[in-house]
Amino acid sequence: MTPGESRVSADRIRWLQARLLDHYGSQHWWPGDSAFEVLAGTILVQRTRWRNAELALTNLRQAGLLTPDAVAAHPVEQVENLIRPAGFYRQKARRLRSVSQWVTGNRGIEQLRSRRTGELRQQLLAMDGIGPETADCILLYVFHRPVFVADAYARRLFHRLGWQHGSARDDYDALAGTVQDAVNEDAEFFNEFHALIVAHGKSVCGKSPRCRRCVLRVMCSSADPGPDATGHPGSGH
Ligand code: SF4
């Protein structure tokens, strides 16, 4: 395989999804009682753990600031104080404010649902502090669009599996485009797929992979040799 070449295919994507789902079960993402709570969560979880984002969401909820109207109307300093547990609270408060103003300026999330995916993505990316990963999480979990979130867990996994090589390892758009072109699935599929890849990255295929416990090793070109979780022989390097 030449640098940048991809071995991603619909069959492989579906195999990966099925294998992870079978092992980890449904992840029930993204938690939140309202579309705006999900939207706020995608910003608060940037560069921190979910439990810290949750603390910030709880503070916003208790203060009555878990609506776009409330965030847009209140002083940004008040939002900063409430979301301190999520870290980077100054930047995140401004991002929350920008996205809230975008929502209120367009008469709410329900009104925005009629827009095309490309248009929504462009508008999200135009906001300070919203990159491709956050934009795609918003598209997937708030607007229920079938997009692949090619975050660091996904890029590492696809690279280790031997399905995506070269500069594409660090290229968000290359992997996202490759996966979306390869498989024609709905938002429900991509919702679960992303959550499962994160679960796998956190528990097994992290910075130091635990290949001997991995249910993907039979298909993985980076697997450590040795007996695997299912009795398949390791594929070696
Ligand atoms: S076999 Fe190892 S490198 Fe391959 S996906 Fe599993 S944990 Fe990651």
Side-chain angles (χ1 to χ4, degrees):
M1 191 160 58
T2 57
E5 192 183 340
S6 172
R7 286 182 176 158
V8 173
S9 68
D11 284 349
R12 284 183 163 158
I13 298 286
R14 292 193 183 108
W15 175 86
L16 178 58
Q17 156 90 348
R19 197 99 177 106
L20 293 176
L21 185 60
D22 186 51
H23 185 69
Y24 296 103
S26 182
Q27 300 296 298
H28 305 292
W29 275 31
W30 185 294
D33 291 336
S34 69
F36 183 72
E37 185 171 334
V38 175
L39 176 51
T42 65
I43 290 168
L44 292 169
V45 80
Q46 290 174 330
R47 300 170 72 183
T48 192
R49 293 172 184 273
W50 176 247
R51 66 168 171 265
N52 297 330
E54 252 182 331
L55 290 171
L57 284 169
T58 300
N59 289 347
L60 287 171
R61 189 181 302 108
Q62 287 174 348
L65 262 69
L66 209 40
T67 68
D69 292 325
V71 172
H74 280 73
V76 73
E77 293 76 17
Q78 188 178 349
V79 177
E80 284 178 8
N81 282 332
L82 292 167
I83 67 168
R84 272 175 186 259
F88 304 97
Y89 58 91
R90 289 209 169 90
Q91 296 101 311
K92 289 182 182 178
R94 277 153 187 78
R95 288 169 198 168
L96 273 180
R97 192 176 169 82
S98 297
V99 87
S100 297
Q101 288 170 338
W102 174 65
V103 169
T104 55
N106 287 285
R107 292 180 291 145
I109 288 175
E110 292 313 310
Q111 290 294 323
L112 285 164
R113 289 193 192 284
S114 63
R115 303 226 174 139
R116 297 170 72 91
T117 302
E119 184 185 355
L120 287 171
R121 192 171 197 266
Q122 222 171 17
Q123 292 179 352
L124 288 164
L125 289 174
M127 290 180 220
D128 189 36
I130 296 195
E133 182 180 333
T134 303
D136 286 341
C137 281
I138 292 170
L139 289 172
L140 180 57
Y141 293 105
V142 177
F143 292 103
H144 309 300
R145 304 300 166 92
V147 296
F148 180 66
V149 181
D151 66 355
Y153 290 114
R155 295 197 302 275
R156 181 164 56 204
L157 177 60
F158 277 69
H159 180 78
R160 283 181 177 165
L161 287 170
W163 295 357
Q164 191 84 351
H165 277 186
S167 59
R169 180 183 184 178
D170 302 315
D171 188 334
Y172 184 100
D173 289 329
L175 181 59
T178 299
V179 172
Q180 282 168 217
D181 288 348
V183 71
N184 184 20
E185 292 287 356
D186 59 14
E188 199 179 333
F189 178 94
F190 283 107
N191 173 330
E192 197 69 76
F193 194 34
H194 173 56
L196 288 165
I197 288 171
V198 173
H200 186 63
K202 284 185 172 167
S203 64
V204 177
C205 195
K207 281 182 184 152
S208 303
R210 302 157 79 186
C211 299
R212 293 182 186 200
R213 294 187 47 200
C214 182
V215 293
L216 305 178
R217 60 175 300 129
V218 67
M219 286 281 277
C220 183
S221 64
S222 307
D224 274 345
D228 71 5
T230 59
H232 288 292
S235 56
H237 288 275

